């Protein structure tokens, strides 16, 4: 489930509608936003299955005139560190000028008959600002099949600070539309800071 909008009251209502520890999530997000007006937001609640456990997770993205705020809240079962279930909430505030990329990947069915304005089946929003990078390495090789020399490694470094996936099948068409709306607002805001 995802919700998007532009007001503080709307953000709180969307967090409450997600039904995922709304008081905890709202307090963390509102503290990060402070008194700054909200330009856009997206609330995405996701349920995942991990072995024999069901886990819930909520991501709240907020765009202000100067910042991109990311909040994640995860629930954990009782474990060796805690005899009772608990939740972990984190927020990160990124200046818009630090955002280096906003990638919107769209998965479209039957691309040969695609009509402009048709919603994709799936949208993945990836935002990079340099806090987290993923490095994929593999042994380098030369063209000689008989060569056994060490040629070092080759690979790619990819900015991967945030990746959020929504799909029509799992989240509904309105959620896909909302994710596209937020992605456009974020992209426009980062372009304006250049």
């Amino acid at each position: 489930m995802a919700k998007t909008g532009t007001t503080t009251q709307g953000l709180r209502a969307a967090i409450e509608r997600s039904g995922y520890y709304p008081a905890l999530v709202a307090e963390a997000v509102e503290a990060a936003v402070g008194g700054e007006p909200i330009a856009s937001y997206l609330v995405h609640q996701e349920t995942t299955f991990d072995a024999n456990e069901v886990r819930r997770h909520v991501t709240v993205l907020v765009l202000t005139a100067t910042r991109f705020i990311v909040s994640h809240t995860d629930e954990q079962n009782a474990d060796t560190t805690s005899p009772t279930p608990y939740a972990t909430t984190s927020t990160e505030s990124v200046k818009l000028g630090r955002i280096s990329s906003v990638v919107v990947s769209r998965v479209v069915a039957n691309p040969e008959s695609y009509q402009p304005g048709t919603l994709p089946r799936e949208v993945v929003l990836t935002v990079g600002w340099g806090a987290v990078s993923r490095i994929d390495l593999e042994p380098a090789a030369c063209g000689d099949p008989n060569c056994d020399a060490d040629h070092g490694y080759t690979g790619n470094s990819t900015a991967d600070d945030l990746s959020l996936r929504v799909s029509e099948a799992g989240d509904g068409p309105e959620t896909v539309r909302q994710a596209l709306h937020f992605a456009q607002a974020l992209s426009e805001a980062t372009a304006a800071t250049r």
Side-chain angles (χ1 to χ4, degrees):
M1 165 178 33
K3 300 293 176 201
T4 188
T6 58
T7 67
T8 302
Q9 294 83 8
L11 173 59
R12 180 172 274 279
I15 290 170
E16 289 174 2
R17 279 192 304 274
S18 80
Y20 185 81
Y21 306 121
L24 173 66
V25 173
E27 181 179 55
V29 171
E30 289 169 1
V33 171
E36 204 170 353
I38 294 172
S40 187
Y41 63 82
L42 179 67
V43 177
H44 183 251
Q45 193 268 325
E46 181 178 27
T47 302
T48 57
F49 301 93
D50 181 22
N52 296 329
E53 298 176 354
V54 176
R55 293 183 186 260
R56 295 182 302 160
H57 172 89
V58 69
T59 301
V60 180
L61 307 179
V62 179
L63 177 63
T64 71
T66 62
R67 298 179 297 145
F68 171 59
I69 298 164
V70 181
S71 174
H72 296 288
T73 302
D74 293 290
E75 65 183 355
Q76 307 293 327
N77 291 324
D79 58 23
T80 58
T81 64
S82 176
T84 60
Y86 60 98
T88 303
T89 299
S90 63
T91 57
E92 183 171 4
S93 178
V94 181
K95 289 183 180 182
L96 289 178
R98 287 208 44 222
I99 294 177
S100 56
S101 66
V102 176
V103 180
V104 181
S105 300
R106 302 165 190 243
V107 177
V108 177
N110 304 311
E112 68 281 354
S113 60
Y114 176 79
Q115 296 292 318
T118 302
L119 281 179
R121 279 191 337 206
E122 181 178 309
V123 170
V124 179
L125 171 62
T126 305
V127 182
W129 57 90
V132 178
S133 292
R134 182 182 64 230
I135 299 176
D136 296 317
L137 294 175
E138 62 184 42
C142 68
D144 181 358
N146 296 319
C147 180
D148 61 357
D150 182 356
H151 295 287
Y153 289 89
T154 184
N156 296 310
S157 175
T158 309
D160 201 13
D161 295 305
L162 171 80
S163 189
L164 180 85
R165 176 187 171 270
V166 297
S167 70
E168 185 178 33
D171 302 297
E174 186 56 31
T175 299
V176 173
R177 185 176 289 106
Q178 292 167 349
L180 287 171
H181 173 77
F182 182 83
Q184 181 175 351
L186 179 60
S187 188
E188 290 171 357
T190 58
T193 63
R194 306 263 177 227

